[in-house]
Amino acid sequence: MRAEAQAYADTINDALELLRRFLDWDKALRRLDELNARVEDQSLWDNPKEAQAVMRERRHLDEAISATRAIQQELSDTAELIEMAEAEGDDDMASEGTEALKALAERAERDKIQALLAGEADANDTYLEIHAGAGGTESQDWAEMLQRMYQRWAERRGLKVELVDYHAGEQAGIKSATLLMKGENAYGWAKTESGVHRLVRISPYDSSARRHTSFSSVWVYPVIDDDIDIDINESDLKIDTYRASGAGGQHVNTTDSAVRITHVPSGIIVASQNDRSQHKNRATAMSMLKARLYEAELRKREEAAMDIHASKSDIGWGHQIRSYVLQPYQLVKDLRTGVTSTAPSDVLDGDLDPFMAAALSQRVTGEAVEVEDVD
């Protein structure tokens, strides 16, 4: 095949290989047979909750296997068509086949990502916390830029966003903020964003117009439903109340309605000030705490499966997952996958899907990429 067609075919084969690896192909086929047999068993429907879980797993597995087989068959048929056209010197037919491969490559990438969003909590809504690092106004301004970036990304994906907690910076920006994102696969997409984010720019707050480096951290954890039981001892909690505050008078209250809960054994801290009722803010904060503890357990399982033992790092140099350089050149670089963008303005406006997709794929392959940070 001509080089362009071969490049599309290679992309498709890479996506198929990742899908088979993710599904554990032979095991997935056996599991689908088991699920089909269970669906035929009328006694399954005596327990509606279990039946719904079985049907959900069966549907997802069947869709993933069918999509993989369909792409493989279409790739084989189209490649054969191109080879025949080239052998007969039919350039028009060969070009049509190449265009068909291009469309198939795009479809394979979409199906690959959809299949990768099959984790235990990937379909759930998600909380996303942003915390400014050391550096005062610089880092606090950067944290607010990240808040806007994720809000714009959520809007692009059709997610609904609520501001659950907000602490303004002294002069500009924010010290921290917690967003609640609601919609399909919100956690599955956003979970790869946990980590330290680094910004390099000419500071608008420096009269000498010097270049500054700022850090902020992002932490993502899923909203959990009542079916998931998280046992929390009241004696392990430290609960504080304080007066709500926010930018431009937003969320400002005259009573101590905001609630902060510290889970002493884990050191996890959550807060809510979105409601004027202290009772409702406490309920929201407890839900956030349960979600954080659940996410920590999911992460332990994932790390054990991948044989990776990492812990939450400091908000500073050497721990960042992505660097955003605005001066003296324009570049965003992911330090886990090597994915780059020369349009930081687009990334900061919410164009994050390429970075998230690459990080999701890397979680399946487990392949570390040697990436040098940018200056």
Side-chain angles (χ1 to χ4, degrees):
M1 285 192 293
R2 60 182 68 176
E4 184 181 10
Q6 187 61 55
Y8 291 135
D10 291 343
T11 298
I12 296 165
N13 278 318
D14 288 344
L16 289 171
E17 177 60 28
L18 187 66
L19 279 168
R20 291 193 191 93
R21 187 169 177 176
F22 173 73
L23 290 169
D24 194 347
W25 189 251
D26 292 336
K27 183 178 178 181
L29 294 177
R30 290 194 299 271
R31 179 59 179 164
L32 184 58
D33 287 340
E34 292 172 5
L35 292 170
N36 285 332
R38 290 196 67 188
V39 169
E40 295 297 323
D41 183 356
Q42 293 301 314
S43 65
L44 171 66
W45 303 97
D46 294 339
N47 186 335
K49 185 177 178 180
E50 181 185 1
Q52 288 174 5
V54 168
M55 290 298 293
R56 188 165 52 247
E57 182 185 358
R58 175 179 174 269
R59 183 177 65 254
H60 184 86
L61 198 55
D62 185 49
E63 287 174 354
I65 290 172
S66 296
T68 303
R69 283 173 166 163
I71 291 170
Q72 179 66 66
Q73 186 61 53
E74 196 168 333
L75 170 61
S76 177
D77 292 345
T78 306
E80 185 177 340
L81 176 67
I82 292 174
E83 288 173 359
M84 285 176 53
E86 290 177 344
E88 295 172 5
D90 190 336
D91 290 339
D92 289 341
M93 184 178 290
S95 295
E96 287 179 15
T98 300
E99 285 300 309
L101 280 185
K102 179 182 178 181
L104 185 60
E106 293 171 354
R107 181 175 129 206
E109 285 297 305
R110 289 195 301 270
D111 287 352
K112 178 186 77 174
I113 297 303
Q114 192 61 36
L116 296 181
L117 296 171
E120 187 173 328
D122 283 357
N124 294 24
D125 299 336
T126 191
Y127 293 107
L128 187 146
E129 290 183 12
I130 301 164
H131 296 272
T137 301
E138 289 292 338
S139 292
Q140 290 167 13
D141 188 51
W142 171 222
E144 187 170 48
M145 291 169 66
L146 286 174
Q147 179 188 340
R148 180 188 179 278
M149 178 181 78
Y150 287 114
Q151 287 176 315
R152 292 288 295 117
W153 169 78
E155 290 168 7
R156 286 178 177 222
R157 295 211 66 82
L159 305 178
K160 181 182 177 182
V161 182
E162 296 177 12
L163 185 62
V164 176
D165 192 48
Y166 181 95
H167 296 274
E170 285 89 356
Q171 297 179 16
I174 60 171
K175 293 179 181 178
S176 65
T178 301
L179 304 176
L180 171 58
M181 299 178 176
K182 297 180 178 181
E184 184 179 2
N185 292 321
Y187 176 67
W189 276 101
K191 66 183 180 182
T192 60
E193 291 298 290
S194 287
V196 177
H197 296 248
R198 169 183 174 239
L199 173 70
V200 180
R201 64 172 174 174
I202 302 296
S203 171
Y205 304 101
D206 188 334
S207 58
S208 300
R210 290 173 293 186
R211 199 163 69 133
H212 284 247
T213 297
S214 306
F215 299 93
S216 288
S217 72
V218 173
W219 200 247
V220 182
Y221 48 101
V223 176
I224 61 174
D225 56 37
D226 294 335
D227 292 338
I228 299 173
D229 186 26
I230 305 294
D231 187 26
I232 299 177
N233 293 323
E234 286 287 332
S235 60
D236 290 337
L237 303 180
K238 179 176 179 290
I239 301 176
D240 301 303
T241 59
Y242 57 96
R243 189 163 297 178
S245 62
Q250 188 180 22
H251 306 295
V252 173
N253 206 336
T254 57
T255 61
D256 292 344
S257 62
V259 176
R260 180 187 299 110
I261 300 178
T262 303
H263 185 248
V264 177
S266 65
I268 291 174
I269 301 173
V270 294
S272 174
Q273 58 173 307
N274 193 44
D275 203 283
R276 289 184 177 274
S277 164
Q278 185 183 112
H279 176 73
K280 290 182 179 178
N281 281 329
R282 178 182 170 122
T284 298
M286 281 298 294
S287 295
M288 293 167 66
L289 176 58
K290 289 180 179 180
R292 281 288 299 270
L293 292 170
Y294 178 64
E295 184 272 343
E297 178 59 31
L298 287 179
R299 190 159 32 89
K300 285 179 185 176
R301 291 187 214 165
E302 184 176 281
E303 288 170 355
M306 296 174 65
D307 198 28
I308 295 174
H309 303 285
S311 59
K312 192 175 180 181
S313 55
D314 296 331
I315 307 176
W317 187 272
H319 301 291
Q320 60 268 22
I321 63 167
R322 191 176 302 141
S323 287
Y324 306 70
V325 180
L326 305 186
Q327 280 99 10
Y329 51 89
Q330 302 269 302
L331 183 69
V332 178
K333 187 173 188 179
D334 194 286
L335 305 178
R336 302 161 300 174
T337 63
V339 172
T340 61
S341 170
T342 56
S345 59
D346 291 344
V347 175
L348 293 172
D349 199 40
D351 186 16
L352 294 170
D353 282 4
F355 297 98
M356 293 177 174
L360 282 168
S361 297
Q362 190 182 58
R363 286 184 174 217
V364 176
T365 64
E367 295 173 0
V369 179
E370 298 246 349
V371 182
E372 288 189 8
D373 201 355
V374 289
D375 294 330

